[in-house]
Amino acid sequence: MNTPISMQTSAQINLSKRYSWQYKAIKCVLSLMAGLVLVSCGGGGSSGGSTVVSGGDVIPPKETQVNGPAWFGLGRNAQHDAISGIATQALNRILWKTGVDLAPQYSAAGYLFYHYGSPVITAKNTVILPVKSEAADTYRFEARSGSTGAQIWSVPSDYIMPTHRWTPSYNLTLTSNNRVYAPGAGGKLYYRDDADSATATTQTAVFYGDAKYTAAKAALDAAVFINTPVTADAQNNIYFGFVANAGNAAGVRSGFARITADGKATWVAVAGMTEDASIVKPATNSAPAVSADQKTVYVVVNAEAATGIRQAGYLLALDSATLAVKSKVRLMDPQEKAAAFVSDDSTASPTIGPDGDVYIGVLETTAGAHNQRGWMLHFNADLSQTKLPGSFGWDDTASIVPSSMMPSYKGSSPYLIMVKYNNYARSGTGDSKNRIAILDPNTSQKDSVSAQQVMTEVLTILGATPDPNWPGGVYEWCINTAAVDPFTRSIVVNSEDGYLYRWDLATNTLSERIRLTSGLGESYTPTAIGADGAVYAINNAVLFAVGK
């Protein structure tokens, strides 16, 4: 479960424990991390009649040819709307599976304090995934057939994680011209021009210049770290954040970079972008988002992480060509009227609605004041207007739901948003009534947790499996972005109970489910849709391909 345990004294932490297993895990958690910590799903699954091969992969016998919609990265595209371009297959069986962490490091209580990156999927149905290959944070990225799971190619990465508490996600991105990018050490990026080809050449790009990197490789590998997912726009330009140690040989400061398809690079430092001198870097794990007209890049910036400090932050709108600041807004807790907590342990990234509005999840100012739910903040496109917030934002990237998917909806909003809606037991007034929700971003109701006016709950559904540690409660939903299928009017979403579910919006039922694992605690994870409509979900360090 990814429930936040905030940076407090041991006595304060005891007040916000959620489940009985957390009592056993606290000592281990505190020794691992001096800050915000979370925990969620996992376990072992069945192969649905397919062949089990070396390494735990499950490969069915048949290869098929596909030409369908690609899934480019976190939340599918540069707006992170997570809307599938194809109807999803029925959740009948596990087609194949493969590890995304070959040496998972469990806590003493059996939990994984990791985030895992989203697979990217080409139009020809090649699934490219990041893989942690050793106990240490050592990575590679590999391509597999979406039809069979058979490996097509594999490339090792020398990527080095930035300083962190919870292990950040290692993310790839796919461009519209089928180039795949993966982070490397020293701010370097690996890329392959034909993501489907087993024989394509792997090349590198360095945003501050190859010559500088080559001249001081070892020093720069230890000084410059990509700390956000990479996002590609419709013109095949890419954007990402990085942190840099002072005095590094490249002369760069923590900031954001842009690299064009032909290798031209631009970078800007975060320091000086806001009026707050404490805001010095990109928020770790938060992917840049690009407006539909390709003119604006939205990014989240924050203060350095430190023991006992709840990081403040801003949402910035940057010019997509120059990375100059166009507008900015301080991220505020709507209830406490103070700086929200923009944590490096969250993967919340901006989502851009069809009307240009921007959504970004944060935590509340005071730990537990909103049951560790945080808020889904909402702004207009130029960030000049702070709009109605949603009642959940912690470690969540909102998904866009066209109103046409909701037969019961009688309002006037052309689209709604989907978020997880957990209510964490033993945090504030949390009761473990963990839900997922469809919210109307333009109409309000009184929040059930606070006195705040929040987005109207159009539809919610409670988790399916009772929580044995909290009578009346249910296991929480373990996602950081869910996939939306407008063709079947449904959403596919993971739960910490070890099942993948289909939420049918026409009937408000969990109409399909398939067991992936026994439900072992791990981080929140993304869901993705293949070019053939197969569903991809991660549980207990394993990527599962699910379909008919």
Side-chain angles (χ1 to χ4, degrees), residues 97-339:
K97 64 180 180 178
T98 188
V100 295
D101 186 346
L102 305 187
Q105 299 299 293
Y106 298 93
S107 72
Y111 306 108
L112 286 168
F113 298 113
Y114 286 82
H115 283 108
Y116 294 114
S118 175
V120 301
I121 307 163
T122 73
K124 293 182 179 179
N125 209 32
T126 299
V127 180
I128 309 166
L129 59 145
V131 178
K132 178 176 165 286
S133 56
E134 299 177 6
D137 293 331
T138 303
Y139 288 87
R140 69 177 187 239
F141 55 109
E142 64 185 34
R144 291 178 176 269
S145 164
S147 299
T148 70
Q151 188 177 107
I152 300 169
W153 54 261
S154 179
V155 176
S157 173
D158 61 357
Y159 179 70
I160 299 172
M161 287 279 178
T163 301
H164 58 271
R165 297 178 294 242
W166 193 293
T167 302
S169 56
Y170 179 71
N171 280 274
L172 317 177
T173 198
L174 182 71
T175 64
S176 59
N177 64 354
N178 210 36
R179 175 183 284 183
V180 63
Y181 284 93
K188 172 175 74 263
L189 286 161
Y190 296 96
Y191 66 92
R192 289 170 67 96
D193 274 331
D194 185 350
D196 300 295
S197 172
T199 59
T201 302
T202 302
Q203 303 177 69
T204 61
V206 182
F207 71 89
Y208 51 81
D210 292 337
K212 287 183 179 180
Y213 179 68
T214 301
K217 180 182 184 302
L220 288 166
D221 284 352
V224 183
F225 312 90
I226 294 173
N227 77 322
T228 75
V230 182
T231 299
D233 68 14
Q235 284 78 47
N236 306 310
N237 305 304
I238 60 167
Y239 306 86
F240 58 92
F242 63 91
V243 291
N245 296 342
N248 64 79
V252 298
R253 295 179 293 161
S254 299
F256 293 94
R258 174 186 189 263
I259 302 178
T260 63
D262 61 359
K264 296 182 177 65
T266 307
W267 71 272
V268 293
V270 169
M273 283 184 166
T274 72
E275 63 273 18
D276 187 338
S278 72
I279 305 299
V280 294
K281 68 176 194 65
T284 297
N285 282 317
S286 187
V290 183
S291 61
D293 66 8
Q294 310 297 296
K295 294 180 179 179
T296 306
V297 179
Y298 296 94
V299 297
V300 179
V301 295
N302 65 357
E304 294 282 6
T307 302
I309 299 298
R310 293 174 74 79
Q311 295 158 278
Y314 283 73
L315 177 65
L316 307 179
L318 308 182
D319 182 276
S320 63
T322 67
L323 301 185
V325 176
K326 297 169 68 173
S327 56
K328 58 184 179 289
V329 63
R330 188 172 177 86
L331 298 174
M332 301 289 286
D333 182 316
Q335 179 183 8
E336 299 187 65
K337 313 301 181 187

Side-chain angles (χ1 to χ4, degrees), residues 8-97:
Q8 309 292 316
T9 66
S10 295
Q12 290 170 313
I13 288 173
N14 287 338
L15 293 176
S16 64
K17 291 173 182 171
R18 301 174 38 227
Y19 299 120
S20 62
W21 56 260
Q22 282 186 300
Y23 287 83
K24 300 175 183 177
I26 286 294
K27 185 176 180 181
C28 172
V29 170
L30 291 176
S31 68
L32 289 172
M33 292 169 267
L36 182 71
V37 181
L38 316 138
V39 269
S40 248
C41 8
S46 66
S47 64
S50 300
T51 303
V52 180
V53 299
S54 175
D57 295 350
V58 176
I59 310 295
K62 184 179 179 182
E63 180 74 65
T64 58
Q65 297 299 314
V66 175
N67 187 9
W71 194 275
F72 298 99
L74 178 74
R76 190 188 176 200
N77 55 24
Q79 293 76 51
H80 304 148
D81 63 27
I83 300 176
S84 176
I86 189 171
T88 52
Q89 296 182 29
L91 307 182
N92 288 346
R93 66 187 184 101
I94 295 171
L95 304 175
W96 55 270
K97 64 180 180 178

